[in-house]
Amino acid sequence: SLGFVVVALDEPSPTIDPLTNQFGSLNDLSHELASLQDLAMRGSWRSILDKVSRARSLDLLTKPDDHLIYLSYNVLALTKLRRFSDASNELDSLHDFNSHHYKYETYPKLYHTRSGSMVPFSLRFIHAQLPFKLGNRQEGLDCFYLLLNFIRQKIKDKGIHSLQESVKIWRKREVFVLHCLIGHHLGAKEFNVCLDLIRHLINHDYLDPVLVSKLGYIQMQIGDFEGAKGSFHRVETMLNERKNDDSSALSEVEFRNLVNRNKALVFLVGKDYVSAVREYEECMERDPADVVAVNNKALCLMYLRDLSDSIKVLENSLERVPTVALNETLAVNLCSMYELAYVNHSEIKRTLSNWIARVAPDDFDASCTRV
């Protein structure tokens, strides 16, 4: 479930911290960038492909960084639409990210005092992610570890030059990439590798509550129930003491909901579904768009043999916040409940599928309704 779409530039001037010298608007960065960003936020990936194609054909992109930014959105849109080979071919056209062609100082008349790489970080990330989509897991892991090393070198370099805002953003990128790496290792049940990655950060005083929570989830999977409860307690303590590392992007509501979901998970594993429902309800009161809480509350009600209310929870969520609550996991679970509850489930699922076709973003996998 992805993430941020804003295309940030990789390497600013070594003397001026870019985050204290921001551009006035997205359009100051590149041709009609605000429009591209708006389309991305709405999930209109096909429209992005059309807009990029038009800009290229009409020669509207006049500077090297314009071409890179538009290429980034094109690659992102192709990836979202599961056209992974096309996205890979587009990336391959760049050859070497570290080429002098992608350095600001190569074009002094265009960029004056700016220096460093103009390759957006998003391109580096997608370059690491695409091999997994193409079935090349080992290549993907190698790319992710190279990206992690690249990020850590940036953190070191920015720290030497006292560019604190840049250090913060690169630390967020480090945690983001680590989350992805941990996810890939978890998928292969490589639990020890996951634990090593998380503990490395924790030992270096990264107080990211999501990472510490993820440590608890892994401990649960390997049967260390007490260790998991200890990790979840640590997250709650961080909330109570308001210790939230700069690398964490959680708001107050997100942080509190994370604590409640952790508590609910302990109840769920202990088959205390009533208590788990209570925790998820607290989350939903703060944020009706908390999809994890909505989905898991519905599952707990199903385990309590209250299938009717379980279906209502998911349906109400789709009605209240369709753009946020509409995701494949929630739709799959709702359709499974329809199949359990109704004889005429095919007709009901078809109605859901038709509604999804009207409101879902371009990258939604409609086959999840199994119509």
Side-chain angles (χ1 to χ4, degrees):
S1 95
L2 297 202
F4 298 100
V5 198
V6 174
V7 181
L9 298 178
D10 242 5
E11 191 174 349
S13 161
T15 55
I16 299 175
D17 197 327
L19 298 185
T20 60
N21 186 36
Q22 294 181 357
F23 291 90
S25 70
L26 285 175
N27 288 339
D28 292 337
L29 269 172
S30 184
H31 173 74
E32 293 188 0
L33 183 53
S35 173
L36 274 177
Q37 179 69 1
D38 180 60
L39 290 171
M41 295 300 289
R42 290 192 278 118
S44 300
W45 306 111
R46 294 186 183 91
S47 296
I48 285 178
L49 295 181
D50 291 341
K51 188 173 181 64
V52 172
S53 177
R54 179 178 177 276
R56 287 172 170 174
S57 64
L58 296 178
D59 294 325
L60 300 176
L61 309 177
T62 58
K63 296 187 297 182
D65 63 336
D66 283 340
H67 286 281
L68 279 171
I69 289 172
Y70 269 65
L71 184 142
S72 300
Y73 277 92
N74 210 50
V75 169
L76 178 60
L78 290 168
T79 303
K80 286 287 190 176
L81 295 170
R82 292 177 281 281
R83 292 171 54 183
F84 304 123
S85 294
D86 291 339
S88 182
N89 291 337
E90 182 95 349
L91 269 179
D92 288 344
S93 70
L94 295 180
H95 302 297
D96 179 11
F97 285 163
N98 299 316
S99 166
H100 72 279
H101 295 298
Y102 310 127
K103 300 284 187 182
Y104 286 114
E105 52 266 40
T106 304
Y107 314 94
K109 291 182 179 179
L110 284 176
Y111 302 109
H112 308 296
T113 59
R114 298 183 72 185
S115 64
S117 173
M118 62 178 73
V119 176
F121 177 75
S122 57
L123 276 185
R124 297 182 185 274
F125 173 77
I126 297 172
H127 176 261
Q129 185 77 338
L130 272 177
F132 289 98
K133 304 297 185 181
L134 294 167
N136 303 319
R137 181 176 182 272
Q138 189 55 54
E139 181 186 343
L141 286 175
D142 292 343
C143 288
F144 261 113
Y145 279 105
L146 285 172
L147 180 59
L148 187 61
N149 290 338
F150 174 82
I151 292 169
R152 286 174 172 168
Q153 185 60 47
K154 289 292 178 189
I155 293 171
K156 183 178 177 182
D157 294 344
K158 303 304 176 188
I160 289 172
H161 290 98
S162 300
L163 303 176
Q164 294 309 312
E165 291 299 323
S166 286
V167 168
K168 287 179 184 178
I169 201 72
W170 281 102
R171 279 186 173 158
K172 287 180 181 179
R173 289 169 176 173
E174 180 185 20
V175 171
F176 177 68
V177 167
L178 276 165
H179 276 300
C180 296
L181 260 175
I182 290 164
H184 288 304
H185 284 300
L186 267 180
K189 300 189 186 305
E190 295 166 349
F191 300 121
N192 287 335
V193 179
C194 298
L195 292 173
D196 288 343
L197 286 169
I198 295 175
R199 283 170 176 155
H200 171 81
L201 279 186
I202 292 174
N203 290 340
H204 285 78
D205 292 328
Y206 277 73
L207 295 174
D208 180 65
V210 178
L211 270 175
V212 180
S213 297
K214 191 162 282 188
L215 172 61
Y217 308 153
I218 296 168
Q219 288 167 319
M220 277 191 163
Q221 290 194 54
I222 62 176
D224 183 7
F225 195 63
E226 292 304 314
K229 288 199 288 187
S231 296
F232 295 153
H233 178 71
R234 182 171 185 171
V235 174
E236 189 171 5
T237 301
M238 289 161 62
L239 172 64
N240 293 334
E241 296 177 355
R242 296 297 188 273
K243 284 187 178 178
N244 199 0
D245 192 82
D246 288 333
S247 59
S248 173
L250 292 185
S251 67
E252 177 82 6
V253 168
E254 289 169 334
F255 205 156
R256 290 189 177 280
N257 278 19
L258 177 64
V259 169
N260 281 111
R261 291 199 304 269
N262 289 345
K263 289 179 179 178
L265 190 58
V266 173
F267 289 130
L268 205 158
V269 171
K271 298 185 179 181
D272 184 355
Y273 303 123
V274 173
S275 297
V277 165
R278 192 160 51 244
E279 297 295 335
Y280 290 130
E281 284 175 343
E282 276 192 41
C283 296
M284 292 164 63
E285 284 172 13
R286 289 193 203 99
D287 178 14
D290 187 331
V291 183
V292 175
V294 170
N295 184 72
N296 289 0
K297 178 189 174 183
L299 290 179
C300 287
L301 290 171
M302 187 180 71
Y303 295 147
L304 289 167
R305 301 180 183 180
D306 190 352
L307 195 54
S308 177
D309 277 355
S310 181
I311 289 172
K312 284 178 185 176
V313 167
L314 297 184
E315 289 180 336
N316 290 342
S317 174
L318 290 175
E319 289 175 9
R320 283 198 311 272
V321 278
T323 54
V324 179
L326 188 57
N327 65 60
E328 287 90 340
T329 300
L330 193 147
V332 165
N333 287 339
L334 181 55
C335 287
S336 297
M337 291 173 191
Y338 284 154
E339 290 166 6
L340 291 171
Y342 304 116
V343 174
N344 63 334
H345 58 77
S346 294
E347 184 179 331
I348 296 171
K349 289 196 298 180
R350 191 171 293 108
T351 302
L352 174 64
S353 184
N354 292 337
W355 176 79
I356 286 172
R358 292 197 306 273
V359 302
D362 291 345
D363 55 312
F364 190 88
D365 185 2
S367 66
C368 67
T369 57
R370 301 194 295 272
V371 172

